[in-house]
Amino acid sequence: MKSNLETKQIKSLYVHIPYCEHICFYCDFVKVIKPKKAESIDQYLDLLAAELQNYGSRLDELESIYIGGGTPSCLDIKQSTRLCEMLSQYVKKTGFEFTIELNPESITKEKLELYQKYHINRLSIGVQTFSNPLLKKIGRVHDNTQAIEMYLLARSLGFKNISLDLMYNLFDQTSADIAVDLQMIEKLCPDHISWYSLIMKESSVWGKRKLNLPGNDELFDDLVNTGLEKLGYQRYEISNYARANKQSVHNLSYWNNSLFAGVGVGASGFEYLDGQYYLTSNKGNVLNYKKEFEKLSTADYYFQILMMGLRLVDGIDLTQTDNKKMFDFYEAKITEQVKLGFLEISAKRLRCTKRGFNIMNEILITFL
Ligand SMILES: C[S@@+](CC[C@H](N)C(=O)[O-])C[C@H]1O[C@@H](n2cnc3c(N)ncnc32)[C@H](O)[C@@H]1O
Ligand code: SF4
C-alpha cells in the first residue's frame, strides 16, 4: 500500500557492512569478526535488500552512495557482486558519487574490476599510517607495501577519485612519522585525504584497557594542516582535505544537512516524514536490527544545522531558507560569538574563525 505520508527526497545513502577480518585496537565502530559461514553474510545481504525495498521511491533521487564499514572489501566476489547489483540500480545521473571503503589487505584486482563494472567511482582506502611499526602497534594487519601496491593497482585500473584515511596522535607517533606520511602523500597524490586525530573510544580494545591519549593533538594538527596545504590540499572540513575540487559529495551532504538514509546494522540517517525531521538509527545485532526514529524539535533541527555546518571551513550558506531560519533563531548567541571572535559572517556564510575552529565544541555548548 502506498504511504500517504508527506515525504522529502533523500539525497544520499549509507550502507554499512559490519564484517572485519580482525579488530583494530582503537576502533569502536559497529563491527564483528567475519563469520566463516557464507550463509550468515547472505542473510545480512537479504536484510539490506529488504530495507532498501522499504524505502521505495524515496531513494529515486540519490546523488551519492557510500558503502562503509566494518570492511566492505572483505566480502568475497559473490557477496560483493550481490551488494553491487543491489545498489547499482540507484546510480542514475552523471556526476553520481559511489564510494566504497577498502582495507589494503583485502583488495584484489578482481574486486576492483567488479566495483568498476557496477559504477563505483570513488575508493576510500584505510591506510592509517605508512609506518610499519605503528601499524602493528594499532592492530592493523596490512603493511605500507600493501597499501602502496593496492593504491597503485587501483590507479592503473583507472580509478580517478581515491581517498586515503590516515590517523595522527597515535601512541609513539613522532613528527618524523608524520613527515614520512606527508612524503608518501606527495608521491602517491591521492585526490582526497581524511586525516583523523585518534579518539580514545571507551568500547574499543584500548578504551577497555583504560589507556590515556598521548596528548600531542595540537602539535600534530598543525603539522598535518600545514603539511597538506603545502602539497596543494584544501582543508574543507575539520578532518578532510581535497585536491582539485574532489571534496566528498557524500560527506558534504551530511554537513550541508541534506536528507540521508542509512541501511544496515548501526547505520544512522536523517529523514523527513509527515512534515517532521527524524534522526534514525539501526539498533540491534547484525542479523536482528531495527530502525529507531528520534523526532527532532525545531530547536533540535536548528542545532543540527549549526553543528554540522560549522564543521565546514566555508561554514553555512545563509541564503538557504532553513539556514536563514536557524540564523534568526540563534541571532543573539551568534552575535555574541562574533563579538568574541569565534564566529564570522562573510559572503552570506556563517563560519568559525581560525580561533573558533579549534574550539568548536566549546562554541556549540553555548547554543544548547
Ligand atoms: C571505521 S573505519 C572503516 C573502514 C576500514 N575498515 C578501515 O579500517 O579503514 C573508518 C575510518 O575511521 C577512522 N577511525 C576509526 N576509529 C577511530 C578512532 N578511534 N579515532 C580516530 N579515527 C578513527 C580510521 O581512520 C578508519 O579508516
Ligand atoms: S578500523 Fe576498520 S578494519 Fe579496523 S576494526 Fe574498525 S572497521 Fe574493522
Side-chain angles (χ1 to χ4, degrees):
M1 201 173 73
K2 217 175 166 196
S3 162
N4 61 359
L5 296 177
E6 186 192 345
T7 57
K8 278 192 181 176
Q9 283 298 330
I10 289 168
K11 291 289 174 204
S12 46
L13 171 67
Y14 175 80
V15 183
H16 194 72
I17 302 298
Y19 305 112
C20 290
E21 277 155 336
H22 67 284
I23 302 298
C24 308
F25 302 150
Y26 53 85
C27 180
D28 84 328
F29 280 62
V30 176
K31 80 263 170 222
V32 292
I33 290 287
K34 185 181 165 188
K36 290 206 171 66
K37 284 188 185 162
E39 302 89 78
S40 172
I41 298 181
D42 292 341
Q43 278 173 23
Y44 184 71
L45 295 175
D46 290 343
L47 292 178
L48 290 184
E51 207 183 338
L52 287 168
Q53 206 172 1
N54 266 341
Y55 275 98
S57 60
R58 294 174 63 216
L59 299 182
D60 278 355
E61 287 177 27
L62 286 184
E63 290 171 1
S64 67
I65 300 176
Y66 194 104
I67 309 174
T71 308
S73 55
C74 79
L75 298 184
D76 68 21
I77 279 290
K78 199 167 153 240
Q79 295 151 353
S80 303
T81 306
R82 185 157 173 226
L83 178 68
C84 287
E85 267 171 2
M86 207 187 284
L87 296 173
S88 62
Q89 59 172 312
Y90 300 109
V91 182
K92 284 174 194 134
K93 295 177 192 161
T94 45
F96 193 98
E97 186 186 271
F98 191 179
T99 305
I100 188 163
E101 276 183 346
L102 311 173
N103 280 33
E105 68 276 9
S106 51
I107 301 175
T108 64
K109 184 166 183 266
E110 200 184 3
K111 286 182 197 172
L112 289 173
E113 284 170 346
L114 178 85
Y115 302 150
Q116 249 173 347
K117 182 175 157 201
Y118 285 98
H119 314 294
I120 291 180
N121 54 15
R122 184 169 181 273
L123 307 177
S124 172
I125 306 179
V127 170
Q128 316 311 345
T129 162
F130 286 96
S131 155
N132 283 339
L134 274 178
L135 282 170
K136 258 203 170 139
K137 209 152 211 166
I138 64 175
R140 298 292 289 193
V141 293
H142 76 269
D143 63 16
N144 56 18
T145 309
Q146 248 172 334
I148 295 164
E149 280 178 5
M150 290 307 134
Y151 172 87
L152 294 175
L153 175 65
R155 279 291 194 224
S156 72
L157 292 174
F159 281 96
K160 295 199 169 55
N161 196 353
I162 305 184
S163 179
L164 302 186
D165 272 6
L166 286 118
M167 289 199 291
Y168 65 90
N169 204 24
L170 298 172
F171 291 92
D172 299 340
Q173 194 174 30
T174 62
S175 309
D177 292 321
I178 299 284
V180 171
D181 288 344
L182 286 164
Q183 279 163 20
M184 284 312 306
I185 288 167
E186 186 173 15
K187 274 196 191 138
L188 298 176
C189 243
D191 305 278
H192 184 280
I193 292 168
S194 301
W195 204 331
Y196 305 106
S197 171
L198 173 68
I199 300 168
M200 189 51 74
K201 302 279 191 172
E202 261 182 40
S203 58
S204 67
V205 174
W206 276 344
K208 285 182 191 151
R209 284 193 216 145
K210 305 263 178 257
L211 286 191
N212 288 319
L213 279 177
N216 293 326
D217 209 24
E218 272 177 39
L219 165 72
F220 285 150
D221 194 36
D222 202 39
L223 288 175
V224 164
N225 284 325
T226 47
L228 287 180
E229 199 177 313
K230 272 190 201 145
L231 297 181
Y233 289 88
Q234 190 201 2
R235 186 185 197 189
Y236 69 101
E237 191 266 352
I238 299 176
S239 309
N240 285 276
Y241 307 79
R243 288 161 61 95
N245 289 326
K246 290 277 180 65
Q247 289 99 338
S248 161
V249 171
H250 186 84
N251 289 344
L252 277 174
S253 81
Y254 298 157
W255 300 316
N256 283 326
N257 222 34
S258 302
L259 299 181
F260 65 96
V263 301
V265 64
S268 47
F270 175 47
E271 300 186 18
Y272 186 80
L273 290 162
D274 200 18
Q276 269 287 334
Y277 286 105
Y278 291 88
L279 293 179
T280 72
S281 182
N282 284 353
K283 297 262 173 68
N285 304 318
V286 173
L287 291 182
N288 183 21
Y289 64 86
K290 198 169 170 271
K291 200 174 287 298
E292 290 183 3
F293 292 82
E294 184 196 338
K295 206 183 254 190
L296 288 187
S297 66
T298 306
D300 293 339
Y301 175 56
Y302 291 150
F303 185 73
Q304 162 138 323
I305 294 179
L306 189 77
M307 181 178 69
M308 300 305 273
L310 287 184
R311 297 179 64 95
L312 292 170
V313 172
D314 283 346
I316 300 165
D317 178 0
L318 295 177
T319 62
Q320 282 189 13
T321 312
D322 285 4
N323 296 353
K324 175 75 176 71
K325 284 186 192 162
M326 176 281 296
F327 181 86
D328 294 341
F329 183 78
Y330 284 130
E331 191 164 5
K333 286 184 176 177
I334 290 172
T335 308
E336 201 179 302
Q337 294 297 320
V338 170
K339 276 189 194 144
L340 290 168
F342 296 138
L343 292 182
E344 64 186 6
I345 299 161
S346 163
K348 297 194 176 150
R349 299 189 78 95
L350 170 69
R351 62 182 184 207
C352 284
T353 59
K354 266 198 178 143
R355 276 168 65 213
F357 214 50
N358 295 328
I359 56 153
M360 194 177 311
N361 286 343
E362 283 91 328
I363 298 173
L364 287 172
I365 286 168
T366 68
F367 286 83
L368 286 173

